[in-house]
Amino acid sequence: MNVLIAGGGGREHAIGHKVNQSSKLDKLFFMPGNAGTAALGVNLNGNPEKFEDVKQHLLKHDIDMLVVGPEAPLVAGIADFIANDEELKHVMVIGPKKAAARLEGSKDFAKQFMNRHNIPTAAHQTFGSGDYDKAVDFLKTLKPPYVLKADGLAAGKGVLIINGFEKACNELKEMLAGKFGEASGSVVIEEFLTGIELSVFVLTDGKDYVLLPEAKDYKRIKEGDKGLNTGGMGAVSPVAFADSTFMKKVKSRIIEPTLTGLVKDKMPYTGFIFFGLMNVNGDPYVIEYNVRMGDPETEAVLPRLKGDLLELFEGAAKGDLVRCKYSHNSDYAVTVMLVSKGYPEAYEKGKEITGLSEAAKKHLVFHAGTKESNGKVVSNGGRVIAVTGMAGSLDDAISCTYDGVARVEFEGVTYRTDIGRDLR
Ligand code: AMP
Ligand code: GLY
């Protein structure tokens, strides 16, 4: 099988690393990929949101399967484009069609879906640009902190959690006036949930699913969960508080009603569903749906998978996931993200990265924002390298990972030193 993985971050490198181990694989391509994926396959120029470019590559390289890493092409309808094109409709796509991708593309749509199918989530109301006064009335009924969410995709920046009522009203006004462009033309206001967060992932063919290992993500830039929000500074899998009693509730109250809801609403689904959950006194609530894997969670989750990921993808695409073998090992995986100095605000690119092959001897080293330049690997983004270490205990996995992290160097390299330590 020839496979194209759309995207170019650590998540896509980690998916590629696993797919590359499959006996079913002939040729592997990435679009656009990075310096790490270039060692696994061929990097193709282009933007996965430009469907005609994708089409040219799919035809030219005789691609059998497209695995879509990020959400934007899915929300824009890449799966529909391929299914509706006479020359492409044989291509298997891992990722949902536009209708179901709205679970991530519109927070209000996701909330309505959850309410319709009795899936536990924070109470909410949605307001449009003319509804400021009504929205303030609703805010008055809530206790602080106030949770304001831009309805649409806002590159991970569209959620504000605000302590003061006055400040919440001001932010709300700015959001409705277009602070996040079209994305905040509607704003979801919801009740604040207190608990511990975790991420749960499934791969589904729309009927059956495999439950992948759960993970905890570290979103803030600084130790102790301080500072600005980022795409993710690290991840750990498994998460001890996701015990079997809790996970049973996740399956029966969240995963299964979500899949049944998709069927009832006539939204066939192929691909990953990422449930962003809050554990509130032992009960799971959905904070958000994503229609893809998480980054950097993928770099901690997929290394724990046993067996053939490409076979699972094929099962998902053909609707016979139930026949696929699936298991994962019980090791701990800890991932630390090495980022550019200044990230998530302004940062410089083009810094030479050294120590990668040394680190790769005992660790998994996934490239995020990197590229090759004059025979050297240089930084090319905010998040640069993800190092994953694995061991039978959390402590050993943490030590192993930081041993790898210390080997990788570039000017201004920045990372959190506390990944996983709160879970001990
Ligand atoms: P989202 O983009 O919806 O995942 O929100 C970003 C982050 O905001 C989440 O990871 C949570 O940490 C936090 N958050 C979102 N909604 C809530 C809520 N209702 N209660 C508490 N925290 C929330
Ligand atoms: N790490 C969070 C995400 O991928 O959305």
Side-chain angles (χ1 to χ4, degrees), residues 19 39 45 62 66 69 105 134 197 200 214 242 299 313 323 339 400 409:
V19 166
N45 279 329
D62 205 9
L66 173 70
K134 274 193 232 155
E197 274 184 82
V200 167
E214 76 285 352
E299 292 93 302
F313 283 162
R323 274 192 275 154
V339 307
C400 170
E409 288 185 37

Side-chain angles (χ1 to χ4, degrees), residues 11 217 219 231-232 274 288 290 292-297 383:
R11 166 182 51 210
D217 172 25
K219 289 203 169 87
F274 164 163
E288 65 167 350
N290 294 305
R292 51 164 176 92
M293 282 298 286
D295 194 351
E297 293 93 325
R383 295 195 293 173

Side-chain angles (χ1 to χ4, degrees), residues 107 149 159 161 190-193 197 219 287-288:
K107 304 254 185 217
K149 300 187 172 187
V159 176
I161 297 183
E190 69 181 37
E191 165 200 22
F192 182 83
L193 297 175
E197 274 184 82
K219 289 203 169 87
I287 293 275
E288 65 167 350

Side-chain angles (χ1 to χ4, degrees), residues 111 114 119-122 149 190 193 253-254 258 274-278 284-289:
K111 286 295 216 180
M114 288 185 266
I119 296 163
T121 187
K149 300 187 172 187
E190 69 181 37
L193 297 175
R253 297 181 191 174
I254 290 173
T258 297
F274 164 163
F275 301 85
L277 302 181
M278 188 76 86
Y285 285 76
V286 178
I287 293 275
E288 65 167 350
Y289 285 114

Side-chain angles (χ1 to χ4, degrees), residues 83-120:
N84 295 334
D85 187 298
E86 274 306 310
E87 291 174 286
L88 298 180
K89 61 183 188 196
H90 65 282
V91 176
M92 294 177 270
V93 180
I94 301 302
K97 296 212 171 110
K98 193 172 181 167
R102 286 184 76 203
L103 285 178
E104 178 164 0
S106 163
K107 304 254 185 217
D108 179 58
F109 178 83
K111 286 295 216 180
Q112 290 188 33
F113 177 88
M114 288 185 266
N115 289 343
R116 192 160 59 240
H117 301 295
N118 293 317
I119 296 163

Side-chain angles (χ1 to χ4, degrees), residues 338 359 387 401-409 415:
L338 280 60
V387 176
T401 302
Y402 280 103
D403 173 65
V405 167
R407 290 166 202 267
V408 180
E409 288 185 37
Y415 54 86

